[in-house]
């Protein structure tokens, strides 16, 4: 909030803010709630704005959910049936949208949901990561609300939540409008697992 006020006082004409997909001031997740409140403050600031609303970051979630257990020689733990589809996105792609937003008229006073090139379930993600590392990755499943080993406590509710809805985004038009080539999961997984022996 202070940054928005400082930007307005400094005469900034266009403010690009990275929020989160599905942000709501009523969210039970403090991080998501904070992002939504910042969006409201930015809209009311009088500055031109672009709000980027990315889905979950591939690098972070693949690293936590799959990379941690892989390094520890443990099975990957998924929640429920792990069949809900999500358009996870690479952090590099979000940065590319932010850069492209600066001088693209389509970004002015716009809220832009951003996802990856393909909606995938956690089962799909584990299978793709297995192909990247050259072996099938063992999986185990817990019910929503049961602890997911290797995940930080603060992230557990988010992981459970991912099994309660789908977040499928058709990115073809927006990617074309902003000239962003979306990064497939396999490329991100290759970077995340680089140096891990099969």
């Amino acid at each position: 909030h202070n940054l928005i006020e400082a930007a307005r006082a400094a005469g900034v004409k266009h403010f690009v803010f990275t929020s989160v997909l599905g942000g709501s001031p009523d969210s039970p997740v403090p991080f998501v709630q904070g992002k939504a409140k910042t969006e409201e403050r930015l809209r009311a600031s009088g500055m031109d704005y672009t709000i980027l609303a990315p889905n979950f970051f591939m690098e972070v979630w693949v690293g936590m959910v799959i990379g941690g257990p892989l390094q520890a020689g443990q099975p990957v733990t998924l929640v429920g049936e792990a069949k809900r589809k999500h358009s996870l996105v690479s952090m590099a792609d979000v940065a590319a949208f932010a850069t492209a937003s600066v001088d693209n008229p389509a970004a002015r006073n716009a809220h832009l949901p951003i996802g990856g090139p393909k909606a995938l379930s956690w089962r799909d993600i584990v299978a793709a990561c297995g192909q990247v590392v050259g072996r099938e990755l063992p999986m185990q499943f817990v019910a929503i609300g049961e602890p997911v080993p290797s995940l930080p406590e603060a992230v557990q509710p988010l992981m459970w939540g991912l099994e309660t809805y789908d977040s499928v985004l058709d990115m073809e038009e927006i990617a074309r409008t902003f000239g962003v080539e979306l990064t497939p999961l396999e490329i991100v997984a290759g970077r995340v697992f680089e140096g891990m022996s099969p």
Side-chain angles (χ1 to χ4, degrees), residues 6-135:
R8 186 171 62 180
V12 168
K13 301 280 187 269
H14 180 205
F15 194 109
V16 179
F17 175 62
T18 303
S19 187
V20 63
L21 187 69
S24 163
D26 304 322
S27 172
V29 181
F31 168 76
V32 175
Q33 189 181 98
K35 289 283 193 181
K37 288 179 177 175
T38 303
E39 284 185 30
E40 289 177 346
R41 181 72 62 94
L42 180 55
R43 283 190 182 97
S45 71
M47 288 182 286
D48 280 354
Y49 63 84
T50 303
I51 296 169
L52 304 176
N55 211 337
F56 290 93
F57 294 138
M58 288 180 192
E59 291 86 348
V60 173
W61 283 82
V62 167
M64 279 193 306
V65 174
I66 300 171
L70 187 60
Q71 283 188 301
Q74 301 294 321
V76 174
T77 303
L78 302 177
V79 174
E81 293 186 7
K83 290 181 178 175
R84 294 289 196 162
K85 301 266 187 184
H86 299 283
S87 299
L88 272 67
V89 63
S90 171
M91 291 188 288
D93 294 350
V94 177
F97 275 106
T99 303
S101 293
V102 173
D103 57 7
N104 191 318
R108 292 292 171 162
N109 300 322
H111 181 277
L112 306 173
I114 297 174
K118 193 174 176 187
L120 301 165
S121 70
W122 272 110
R123 287 176 185 263
D124 298 332
I125 293 166
V126 172
C129 290
Q131 288 191 322
V132 168
V133 298
R135 69 178 190 275

Side-chain angles (χ1 to χ4, degrees), residues 147-170:
V148 179
S150 83
L151 278 193
E153 196 174 327
V155 178
Q156 301 269 353
L158 293 172
M159 185 69 182
W160 300 330
L162 286 171
E163 194 52 23
T164 64
Y165 68 99
D166 296 285
S167 58
V168 176
L169 297 172
D170 180 353

